[in-house]
């Protein structure tokens, strides 16, 4: 729910120009490297959150938590890139995030 609430606060003007026009400035490799670093940071954040709220600390639980965090980070990345690439007729980011997370937008 927190991810959807935050997504609802973002608008088209929140997309950096470089992300919308990376082909024009031939910066795809630089943006990919920067983005990969950020995705790993988001993954670590999700792992930390899930670990703090987990009921078990077993090695099997740790693997499940890390996989859940990775899947969530991947869904968020898909939602973000889909939203950015949609252009001027894009739906709200909350709608795209809800679709990526397989939940309903409020």
């Amino acid at each position: 729910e927190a991810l959807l609430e935050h997504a609802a606060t973002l608008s088209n003007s929140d997309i950096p120009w470089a992300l919308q026009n990376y082909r024009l400035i031939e910066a795809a490799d630089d943006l990919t490297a920067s983005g990969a670093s950020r995705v790993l940071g988001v993954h670590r954040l999700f792992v930390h959150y899930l670990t703090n709220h987990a009921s078990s600390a077993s090695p099997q639980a740790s693997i499940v938590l890390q996989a859940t965090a990775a899947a969530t980070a991947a869904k968020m990345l898909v939602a973000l890139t889909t939203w950015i690439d949609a252009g001027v007729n894009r739906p709200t980011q909350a709608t795209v995030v809800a679709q990526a997370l397989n939940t309903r937008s409020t």
Side-chain angles (χ1 to χ4, degrees):
E1 288 185 33
L3 295 173
L4 291 174
E5 286 179 28
H6 178 68
T9 68
L10 301 174
S11 69
N12 292 345
S13 63
D14 293 314
I15 303 172
W17 185 88
L19 291 179
Q20 294 185 64
N21 299 288
Y22 68 92
R23 289 179 193 93
L24 294 175
I25 59 175
E26 298 181 8
D29 292 338
D30 293 335
L31 290 172
T32 299
S34 174
S37 173
R38 291 170 194 243
V39 169
L40 288 174
V42 167
H43 174 258
R44 285 187 207 101
L45 180 70
F46 287 150
V47 167
H48 180 73
Y49 175 83
L50 293 171
T51 301
N52 287 340
H53 293 81
S55 59
S56 173
S58 71
Q60 293 81 9
S62 176
I63 291 169
V64 170
L65 291 177
Q66 291 201 41
T68 300
T72 303
K75 289 177 181 183
M76 295 305 298
L77 180 61
V78 167
L80 181 62
T81 57
T82 299
W83 185 63
I84 290 170
D85 290 344
V88 295
N89 293 321
R90 68 178 54 90
T92 66
Q93 187 175 20
T95 299
V96 178
V97 168
Q99 291 170 344
L101 294 174
N102 296 318
T103 62
R104 291 185 149 178
S105 178
T106 55

